[in-house]
């Protein structure tokens, strides 16, 4: 017998209610099987859908599905989840804990509705040469090298390749989904997080683009997990302070704003947080 499942549709990392990255959120998902969750995520069609279940230790257990399968963590779907719980009056402003495949992660809902999520401490997993990345994203290696910044795989929940490009080169990238997907599969990473630094006088730290075609995401307009990784990267290599504001989705006409903060002790990162606002855009009912 089919059961109708309601999915809230939420845009995460919005600016005054506009832009952002959509995620599906299913509350009371305790009885859903993995196969049902995947079916729902595929029907929703967003890059990620979150499924919220009860938990004996944490406030909630949250699982995340793309259209191709389960992933260990998703930043923008976490934001969507706690924003909808707050907007429905299920949760008040305060501190909570979610259980994910990457562990117990604290989440704060501020009094203005902003959601700030704590991420895993950074793991530096690999490095790549400018030549290797040049072949995949179509920017000459000498141009990549001119940043004098390394290309590294960093995870604060999901492993992403952090790629700096000089100012003016971000928007001209034309991603080749097949090349990027093959590279990511070979090196066991989720995607490419490419950034250019903004003018020091700007309120923005960096503009970003994220490509994860291996998981069915040609380009994403806001990526929470990658923003945490980028904040840790910038903290290590540039003296920009410890609070960051990232813009993403500009090339998709869906500009999003993501805040990040890094706390360090003797050059060791001891806390990573990523935050933003979310707006409900509707709901769908899916039979499973």
């Amino acid at each position: 017998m089919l059961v109708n499942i309601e999915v809230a549709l939420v845009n995460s990392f919005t600016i005054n209610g506009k832009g952002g990255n959509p995620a599906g959120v299913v509350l009371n998902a305790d009885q859903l099987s993995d196969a049902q969750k995947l079916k729902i995520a595929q029907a929703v069609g967003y890059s990620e859908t979150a499924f919220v279940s009860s938990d004996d230790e944490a406030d909630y257990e949250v699982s995340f599905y793309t259209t191709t399968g389960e992933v260990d963590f998703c930043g923008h779907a976490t934001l969507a989840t706690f924003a909808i719980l707050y907007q429905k009056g299920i949760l008040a402003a305060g501190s909570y804990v979610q259980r994910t495949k990457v562990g117990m992660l604290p989440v704060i809902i501020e009094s203005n509705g902003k959601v700030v999520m704590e991420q895993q401490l950074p793991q530096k997993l690999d490095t790549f040469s400018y030549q290797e990345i040049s072949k995949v994203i179509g920017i000459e290696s000498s141009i990549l090298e001119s940043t004098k910044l390394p290309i590294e795989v960093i995870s604060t929940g999901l492993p992403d390749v952090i790629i700096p490009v000089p100012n003016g080169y971000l928007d001209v990238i034309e991603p080749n989904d097949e090349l990027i997907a093959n590279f990511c599969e070979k090196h066991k990473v989720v995607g490419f997080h490419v950034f250019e630094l903004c003018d020091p006088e700007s309120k923005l730290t960096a503009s970003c683009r994220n490509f994860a075609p291996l998981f069915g995401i040609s380009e994403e307009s806001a990526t929470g997990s990658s923003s945490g990784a980028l904040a840790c990267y910038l903290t290590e290599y540039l003296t920009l302070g410890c609070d960051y504001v990232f813009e993403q989705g500009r090339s998709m006409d869906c500009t999003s704003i993501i805040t990040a903060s890094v706390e360090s002790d003797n050059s060791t990162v001891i806390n990573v947080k990523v935050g933003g606002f979310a707006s409900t855009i509707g709901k769908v009912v899916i039979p499973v």
Side-chain angles (χ1 to χ4, degrees), residues 236-288:
E236 178 175 357
Y237 293 110
L238 297 170
T239 54
L240 299 174
C242 59
D243 294 303
Y244 307 97
V245 181
F246 301 131
E247 171 194 68
Q248 191 177 326
R250 182 177 66 201
S251 62
M252 303 169 69
D253 294 323
C254 195
T255 303
S256 310
I257 291 293
I258 306 156
T259 64
S261 62
V262 175
E263 186 180 350
S264 302
D265 182 18
N266 291 327
S267 299
T268 300
V269 174
I270 59 174
N271 189 273
V272 185
K273 292 178 180 175
V274 171
F277 291 92
S279 303
T280 304
I281 53 177
K283 65 180 179 182
V284 294
V285 176
I286 296 170
V288 294

Side-chain angles (χ1 to χ4, degrees), residues 128 132-133 136-137 159-163 179-181 183-184 189-194 209-213 223 226:
F128 296 110
E132 286 175 287
I133 298 301
V136 186
I137 65 169
D160 275 292
V161 187
I162 305 297
I163 305 170
L179 283 179
I180 296 173
F183 184 95
C184 291
V189 296
V190 169
F192 285 8
H193 198 66
V194 189
R209 296 179 71 183
N210 188 279
F211 311 112
T223 317
S226 304

Side-chain angles (χ1 to χ4, degrees), residues 27-82:
L27 303 179
N28 305 311
D30 300 69
Q31 303 305 316
L32 294 175
S33 68
D34 292 348
Q36 288 174 317
K37 290 177 181 179
L38 179 58
K39 181 181 177 181
I40 292 167
Q42 290 171 336
V44 172
Y46 290 159
S47 58
E48 272 96 2
T49 296
F51 296 86
V52 185
S53 303
S54 57
D55 191 272
D56 292 337
E57 296 176 68
D59 293 289
Y60 297 101
E61 179 183 9
V62 186
S63 56
F64 307 97
Y65 281 74
T66 71
T67 56
T68 61
E70 187 176 10
V71 292
D72 290 346
F73 176 71
C74 175
H76 86 274
T78 290
L79 194 154
T81 295
F82 283 85

Side-chain angles (χ1 to χ4, degrees), residues 163-217:
I163 305 170
V165 297
N167 200 278
Y169 283 89
L170 186 70
D171 290 339
V172 301
I173 295 171
E174 295 182 4
N176 182 313
D177 285 1
E178 185 178 1
L179 283 179
I180 296 173
N182 289 341
F183 184 95
C184 291
E185 186 171 32
K186 177 182 178 182
H187 295 284
K188 295 181 172 57
V189 296
V190 169
F192 285 8
H193 198 66
V194 189
F195 75 94
E196 64 180 17
L197 294 171
C198 295
D199 188 283
E201 302 302 313
S202 170
K203 293 180 180 178
L204 299 172
T205 310
S207 294
C208 310
R209 296 179 71 183
N210 188 279
F211 311 112
L214 181 61
F215 291 88
I217 307 165

